[in-house]
Amino acid sequence: MGGDGGRAARKAGRALVLLGAVLLLLENVLSWVGYVIPTLPEVLDDVRLWGLGEALSGERDSIEVYSLLGEVLTDAYLLCVVVLALLWLRRGRVRALGPLAVHLLGFSLPTIRSFALTRLWGLLMALGAAALLAGAALLAGRRPRGGSAPVRYGRAAGDVASLGLAFLSGVYLYTACCVVTNEFYASGMAKMAEQEGHAVDRAWVALRLAHFVAASVLSLLVRLERPGPRGEAGRGRMALRAAGCAALVALMLRGIAEHYSYYSFLPRLQTATIYLCALCLVGAALERVGSRLDGPAGAAPEWEDG
């Protein structure tokens, strides 16, 4: 019965992942038909009238240029999620679908909160993310067990930290897209940098954008540096993970020290990132110590159907 239940859960999980991919593709199509294609001629007219440099300079408040660019970046991200989900599902890498679904949730959550009940494309994004997340949870139904207490607690801490960092990576990436969409024209920059009434420091805004992109990339890289299948992590990987955590914490501390609060959620988000980095290192250290205590015979975890 347990085997039949496991097979049924895996079939349901695959079906939900496929459904999520279809819904996200529909959201992409709706976005292009409803916004990108109608807006593109207007943006091209601006480029022909002012030239590409002027249209992108931010001085003419060419909002549509950056709104279109932000929308294209968002659609490109969703398309990448769909391709990766289908590719990993085909290749049997189902345990990689969980972090991907959580990353998508972090990226899409602000949109879902604002538009899921008022716009069709928002509803499609919400349903697609929910289906992908539920499918990934069903496919990852087997859980490791066995091993010493340090191994179990370290594995649990590592899983929580990895999923949390994947979520935050998605949030930071979405914030970078927001900066492109809403702040790269002149008056938007002035508001963001609190420089209204005098010359805008565009380099400062570009630095904010680089900050969010770097935070997203580092969060994802730290999450990927997990211990091996037996719970062990070589010195090189541990050092790389520690370096990634240190760089990410330094980036967060710099953001906190600047008292940057244009996006009101950022101070709490940056603090949570620091805590997750600490949890990530503690979990990796516990797994490493536990695998040494267990020895070769007890290092490999047993598995059970969820």
Side-chain angles (χ1 to χ4, degrees):
M1 292 297 289
D4 292 339
R7 283 192 292 272
R10 286 191 288 274
K11 286 182 180 179
R14 292 177 67 88
L16 284 170
V17 170
L18 292 174
L19 176 62
V22 170
L23 291 171
L24 292 175
L25 280 176
L26 284 176
E27 191 280 338
N28 249 352
V29 170
L30 193 63
S31 170
W32 276 77
V33 172
Y35 179 76
V36 175
I37 294 176
T39 306
L40 186 59
E42 180 181 346
V43 170
L44 292 177
D45 287 342
D46 290 343
V47 172
R48 281 194 294 266
L49 179 63
W50 299 333
L52 182 61
E54 284 293 318
L56 295 175
S57 67
E59 295 297 341
R60 295 185 178 275
D61 279 359
S62 45
I63 301 174
E64 288 298 340
V65 175
Y66 291 102
S67 295
L68 180 63
L69 181 57
E71 187 65 34
V72 169
L73 289 174
T74 300
D75 291 340
Y77 168 80
L78 294 177
L79 184 60
C80 288
V81 168
V82 169
V83 171
L84 284 175
L86 295 178
L87 185 63
W88 287 343
L89 189 64
R90 180 179 177 82
R91 293 185 176 180
R93 296 184 58 188
V94 294
R95 299 191 70 82
L97 291 172
L100 178 67
V102 172
H103 193 278
L104 170 64
L105 181 63
F107 184 91
S108 60
L109 189 59
T111 301
I112 292 172
R113 289 180 60 188
S114 301
F115 301 109
L117 299 179
T118 59
R119 298 286 190 276
L120 178 58
W121 53 266
L123 178 61
L124 289 173
M125 184 180 290
L127 293 176
L132 186 59
L133 193 62
L138 287 174
L139 288 171
R142 296 196 307 164
R143 303 180 183 90
R145 64 178 181 178
S148 61
V151 169
R152 294 196 303 272
Y153 290 133
R155 189 182 298 133
D159 288 343
V160 170
S162 294
L163 291 176
L165 287 171
F167 177 82
L168 292 178
S169 176
V171 176
Y172 286 126
L173 185 59
Y174 176 79
T175 308
C177 291
C178 282
V179 172
V180 172
T181 302
N182 301 320
E183 276 79 51
F184 251 59
Y185 58 94
S187 61
M189 290 183 189
K191 184 179 179 182
M192 181 182 187
E194 297 181 354
Q195 296 170 348
E196 295 174 282
H198 52 86
V200 177
D201 182 4
R202 284 196 292 273
W204 189 92
V205 181
L207 187 62
R208 291 299 93 216
L209 178 60
H211 179 98
F212 300 136
V213 172
S216 178
V217 172
L218 281 172
S219 300
L220 199 57
L221 288 177
V222 168
R223 195 219 70 79
L224 291 174
E225 282 300 320
R226 289 303 311 277
R230 292 178 177 267
E232 77 283 354
R235 289 184 179 179
R237 293 192 67 181
M238 282 292 291
L240 185 60
R241 194 170 212 201
C245 284
L248 186 55
V249 168
L251 200 63
M252 297 299 101
L253 290 174
R254 185 181 188 279
I256 292 172
E258 286 184 342
H259 303 290
Y260 176 67
S261 57
Y262 181 79
Y263 292 107
S264 59
F265 60 86
L266 278 176
R268 294 189 296 275
L269 202 66
Q270 291 173 129
T271 303
T273 305
I274 293 173
Y275 290 151
L276 284 173
C277 284
L279 185 63
C280 177
L281 292 178
V282 169
L286 284 174
E287 282 191 86
R288 185 176 177 84
V289 170
S291 64
R292 287 182 175 179
L293 292 175
D294 290 343
E302 302 173 31
W303 298 85
E304 62 179 352
D305 287 331

